[in-house]
Amino acid sequence: MASSAALFRLADRTRVPDPTLQRHAVAAFFRHLLSLPAPLPEAAHDAASALLASPHPAVAAHAAASVACLAASRPDLLPPGRALPLLLAPLAASPSPRLASCLVKAVSALAACALRSGSRFPPHDHPFVQALASGADGVRAELARQAARMVAEGLDGIVGFLRPFVMFSVVRKGDAAFARDLIGALAAAAAAAGKAGVAIPVLKLLEESMLHLGRGDDQERWLWLSSAECLVGAHVVLLRKLVHAQMPTYDAQASSAMLMEALLSQCLFHKKFMGITSTLLGLSKHLFSVEKDLGLCYLPEISGVLSSLSHSLSGLEFEHEQLVGLKLLAFLIEWKYENVLERKEQKHCLSEELLCVMAVINLAISPSKSVKAVPSSAGFIFMKHTATKVSPESGRNYLEARYWTDQLNDYLTVLCREKLTLDDLSSKKTSSESLAVLGASDPRLGMPLFVVILFYIKILCNSNNFSTEILLSLIESLPSLAIHGFVLPLALQWISPMLKRVTNPVLYATAVRLLCKIWIVTDWAFPNLQAILDPENISNFISDREISMSIASSIRDVCKHNPDRGVDLILSNSFCIESRDSVVQALGLEGLSYLCEADVVDFYTAWKVISKELLDYSIEPAVAHRNRRRVTTDKRVAVHKSERLLDVFPQAVLKGKSTHHQLPGAALLTLNFTPKDILNEGKSKGLPRVHASFEQAFTEIAESLYISRNIEVALLAFHSWKSFVSNWMQAVVALLDIKESSKLNKALKAANDIFKILCDHVPVSTPRVAVNIALVIGALCSIVPPIAHLVISSASDFLLKWLFQYEHEHQQWSAALSLGLIFNCFHPTDKKSRFQVINGLLELCPSSCYSLKKLNIYGIDSMEGMEENSDRFNDDPWAIAGLVLGLGNSVVALYRLGAYGTITEIKDILMSWIPNVNSSCELFDEMNSVSLCIGSCLALPSAVAFCQRVDLLNEDLDALFNRYTSLASELLNLNKSGIIFQNLLMAICIGAGSLLSFILDDGVHAVEPSAVKKLLDTLRHIYTHPFPPLVHLGGMFGVVNACGAGDLTGMCSKLMTSQIKHEESSLVRCPLLASPVGEILSTPMVQEIYLLAKDAEDKHIQGSAAWAISFLRSRWLSKNLILYNENGSNRSSGDPSQASSFSEQSLVWNLSRWLNDLKLEKPFDMVPVSTVGTVLKCLSKAPRLPTTDWGVIVRRCMKVETQIPYKPTNQQDLKLLREACLHFTLAHATHISPLLQFLDDLTDILRFQRLEINVQSVLLQHLSHLIKLFSDSRLDKLYEDLTEYLYSSTSSYLNYSCEQKSMIRMSFWEGICKCLVEVVSEESGGFSFNKKCIECLLPLLTLQNDGQPEYMDEWSAAIMCLTNAQKSWLGDMLQVRNAALVTEEEHIDVAKKIIIRARLCATGCGSVNDLGVWWSVLVEIAAAINSVENSIKRQWLLDALEIGCVTAHPSTVLHFVGLLCDSCCIYMPLLVVNSRNVLSDLPVTLPSFLSSSIWDDFRDIVADKLWLLTTSTLGQNNWLMEMTSLAEDYLTVDKQLKLANLESL
């Protein structure tokens, strides 16, 4: 007690007002303490506290210093642990700044003393942290000074001491300015120390602290940037001191590199704050420039800066930032390679630079010139430096291994091996080839790779030591990139300077070849190439052999790759043939041979012209070799007798200037009115001449071509005018010279000019010419490309005006006809024009309007209305016939609507309007029945053909065909007069020929030769006897239609050259002119009509005959019609190359011949159906087949029961035969086009759903074949059709039993599985097709219950398919996406996905960890919680966090918390829910969820639970780092400090 009293008496003495006496009193107090025994009593502590809390500043300040001194000198009396609380306590009372400074100094001195003695301070009891937390004025500045002082003194353990204080300073909210000051002070002190061992640990601490600073407002970001400048400056000072003192600099330099890598990586957080990125890049440049100036080497640690820089460059938006980034990159690469050369390193890795390649290339195509200049100057320095020297024995290409491209090629090869890039990117390719393939396949890489290859070429050319092989390889890779339209202009711009006359000859020759290669890739370059290959231009380089050979080679390539384009260069090719240089002449002859092979040039005519120009074979053997190729192998022989007549028809018949008037129809189809010498004139002079020539021809022909309101004649004229207008368009397009190189733009210009010319003729035209004008306008609209929709719209408006000119009937009906024909030419979006045409036509013809209104989709009751109103049209039979013709043409549209019953009814009623001569009723007792018969005779063939193609025809074709012949014969016997019966007889003739042509083209049904002969005899009788001209015309067109000219809806015979000769047969089963029997019957009549066209005295007969022969010639021999053989190649009909490849003793030949001559109609020669199937199975294994009509053979076998006189008893054999047909078709459809067309028809939804279930299954099982055969757009349609088939409420699939449905789905799964087994490029349509099909099938899997084994096979097929699927697909598809799984069906869907995951794991496809049963359960629970009240959501989250604090598996809780936050936050619609994303999204979703008002009173609770959960997962760094970011905004400062000091936890 006495001691305590003495202490307080001494303390009371400090109250005197004199500061000097106060200090003496304080000193006396502490001298007394030294006399006391250790430890000090509690009273001493209280008295010391009283002195420190004295209101007199001098007392408190002197007491603070004395406490620190006592604790430092006599820790036994006053341990530092007891002294520090005494010093910190007065700070809470907000002392004066001066006193606070004194207290902090005392604390600092005591802390320094403790550090020297080995003491450590825990983060939660740190003296500097407590001092800063007091908030007293003057504390912050003094703390920064004292911390800097301690760093300058180099105390041991200073970094560990400062870490809690620094981290607390940066995580404190609202005090970023102090954090900046502290970082600056510490950085300056560390740099001033001049010792790497002291400075570097401190600088690393400050670098770590920067990760927690700058996440607030703009002011805080500026302070963060200022702190970064301080750190960079400290590194600069440190490095300079170390270099000046000749001390090691490696650690300091490495620390600077890691600092810049960390700072650049944080640009992502500050991206929205303008100026930070450019400032950081500038700081980096300054720092590394100082290092280089100091003579320091480039360190490997700087590679991390390159990695961060590559990421930053890809996201820079502003020009000044791009410039700074590029300059930094250029500087680093230059510095690196200077060190490589100085040290003469033999090996060096370029992987860091390659990370920057694409980013720099992207900037190199920037529109900014200043940005472009940086890569051009130094950005690609590493491209020209050698990387390593490899010996030739190393197995690599020695010429390329020295360059960076070798490593890039290795990288692309790895991508290929891992199936991450192109399938055809082989490791054997050079890097330039790999780049070219990559750029050609991906439009996004086309332009950047074009630029980088150009730049590398420049680098190589500027080097004194480069490989010409690499240079050529790079140049050859450029044309392939021009496949992208946006690259083509740049490629042409690059080549154009090399094509100037003053250019080096070798360079000019190279440019010509490059331009040709570009044209091979894209035809848009042809105008540029054509200008270079023009004869006038070639004449300038006759004396230069390199250029002449280059031009000749290019002309040869054009003729080879596109003979039609080769014809455009025929004069240039002739120029080459006339050359005296043997190589140039040989190339010209080779080009000519390609044109002759394609039958665009007649060889014998050409030979007469060129033979006298050829050099001596014995002297110039190259010429002989080129010419022999054509003479020995490609002599064209006319296979069919009639073909020779058609060849010479124009020269023999259409000669003389009066042809236009006498034979107008033939002239339209046969003659081309382009002036022959137009190529010798310039384009500006030639174009007016072309228009004038065709305009004059139009006027003369239109005045001579009389139509007289006959719809059939009008249709013939319309198709004839199409040929005329097509020639006109082609001639104009060839001469147009507009800036746009697009052929479509030229076509639009040409069409518009022609339309204007036609409109100009209207005011002065006679009625006959006006009718033809309407037809020509319609013909023009039917041939123009889709881009010319404005021309079509203008033409429609023009014709609609005519449609309502009632005073000009000739204009009305011709406009109505043209409007109907061009209706489908409108742009798909131009619905207004479509409605205008429909309304106009209906308004013009009330009868049709009345009939169509009564027409419904399931019946054709409207026909009664048509018959009721037909009396008013007795004076015009075509008024009714036209409606019937339109009705017949509607079957295609009705089929698309699925109205199969209506199609059958239309077909039946059309047949009923053609009377049966053998019936007892009177023939044509009413006049209106004649009009109905006229329309039916013309409409029925196309309707029947369509029904046959889609399997809707069950009629007896023989009876139907004989009805036409009998009706014609009976009508001749009745000898009825009148124009209506003339029209009827013409319609019967033309319709009969079209029907016969369809039957024989289809090939399924055979016709008796006697029936064919009877028809042909009837037709011959009609056109050889004195009948009106209209009847003669019908008879002749009936003959040519039967011979293959086809009807007017586009159906026409195909020229077929079969290697297998048909056996002599009593039936006709193929087109007349291709059948031995049919050719004997038809050829004399074709010859006779030809002679009538040539020499008939009757001008009407001659005109009709010439018109008919012209139609036949146009359909069979026109160069615009590609004549395909059945193997799909466009060879000439007489090519014998395939015939010699099969031995007549081979099994394939004999089986094919047996199938070709199979006769199913004769009961006595009947072959078992199973035998036919066996033969097809054998031929399915053949690698190739002889040429014959395989499409017909397969269709006949598919419909074998319709050809057998009796119904077979074994239906299973018929099913197996159809399956064999499908297997055969799938095996050979790749090279036989009719089989591919057959597959295309079968897989159309309307046809597919009417197939037998076994046929459907086979097609589904072989989807892998269809993927290879179909285009991407066709695959999209196939997917849509299959989806409609499985899901549509009207699909036939719903009519199947459960077992049948499961079998269909199982076949589908099996087909997709085969597709997945085969390698499919990710860029192809098949890749996405597979994924979409799996997504389509997954919901249809049915859960198996007891007693339902029918689904076992389907599940097995599904699991097998999913086993081969992409793992990324499965992770996506087998997640529950719907956020409201509350219905029973949705719960079942979750159960199915869990079962699928389990079975996939059982097959070894995935690990048990990937099973994810818990995941699906969690997803379902989270989805259910999403729909409940907010209070329940809140409680679930709190409970989950609490469970996580005590569970042994907190990661599961974290996933569930992530799911809850995902489903409840505002970002929910944008999130992809999977087990990986829920954790990575938590930094965004949790704050969003907690921002809701339901958490106003609970955020602290959530923060505490998150803190506990975080501390329980210290061993799981991934979770810890995630939770660190989550809790930072919600935890108290002390817990934030603990999170920032992870090493102390």
Side-chain angles (χ1 to χ4, degrees), residues 895-953:
Y895 180 78
R896 292 172 183 167
L897 293 175
Y900 311 125
T902 303
I903 295 174
T904 303
E905 290 184 44
I906 289 177
K907 176 197 63 182
D908 292 341
I909 199 168
L910 290 177
M911 292 176 61
S912 69
W913 285 336
I914 301 177
N916 191 343
V917 175
N918 298 325
S919 63
S920 58
C921 62
E922 184 178 353
L923 191 63
F924 301 125
D925 53 343
E926 297 181 1
M927 294 303 294
N928 59 357
S929 63
V930 179
S931 298
L932 293 173
C933 185
I934 292 173
S936 298
C937 287
L938 295 173
L940 188 60
S942 60
V944 170
F946 180 79
C947 292
Q948 171 78 341
R949 186 164 65 86
V950 297
D951 292 335
L952 290 176
L953 185 68

Side-chain angles (χ1 to χ4, degrees), residues 16 52 264 308 515 649 655 795 810 898 1119-1120 1183 1244 1426 1520:
V16 296
L52 292 172
L264 288 174
S308 298
L515 185 57
F649 173 76
K655 54 186 178 180
H810 62 281
K1119 70 175 181 180
N1120 295 322
D1244 183 82
N1426 184 46
L1520 182 57

Side-chain angles (χ1 to χ4, degrees), residues 365 707 831 1447:
I365 61 175
I707 298 175
K831 297 181 180 180
T1447 183

Side-chain angles (χ1 to χ4, degrees), residues 1100-1165:
H1100 291 293
I1101 293 179
Q1102 184 184 22
S1104 298
W1107 202 2
I1109 289 293
S1110 296
F1111 255 103
L1112 183 60
R1113 180 181 182 275
S1114 176
R1115 294 296 176 96
W1116 274 60
L1117 297 177
S1118 173
K1119 70 175 181 180
N1120 295 322
L1121 178 64
I1122 299 176
L1123 305 180
Y1124 287 97
N1125 62 35
E1126 292 304 293
N1127 279 347
S1129 60
N1130 54 341
R1131 298 184 292 108
S1132 62
S1133 59
D1135 189 350
S1137 59
Q1138 291 290 329
S1140 59
S1141 62
F1142 279 95
S1143 170
E1144 293 188 1
Q1145 284 74 38
S1146 68
L1147 178 62
V1148 173
W1149 177 272
N1150 284 286
L1151 291 179
S1152 301
R1153 183 174 182 178
W1154 182 83
L1155 275 179
N1156 192 66
D1157 296 321
L1158 188 62
K1159 303 178 181 66
L1160 299 173
E1161 302 86 354
K1162 296 186 177 181
F1164 300 106
D1165 296 338

Side-chain angles (χ1 to χ4, degrees), residues 23-38:
R23 284 194 292 271
H24 284 294
V26 172
F29 176 81
F30 280 97
R31 283 196 300 271
H32 179 73
L33 292 182
L34 291 173
S35 64
L36 296 178

Side-chain angles (χ1 to χ4, degrees), residues 371-390:
V371 173
K372 288 180 179 178
V374 180
S376 300
S377 60
F380 281 171
I381 296 299
F382 67 95
M383 289 184 179
K384 66 180 183 181
H385 288 292
T386 58
T388 182
K389 292 185 179 180
V390 184

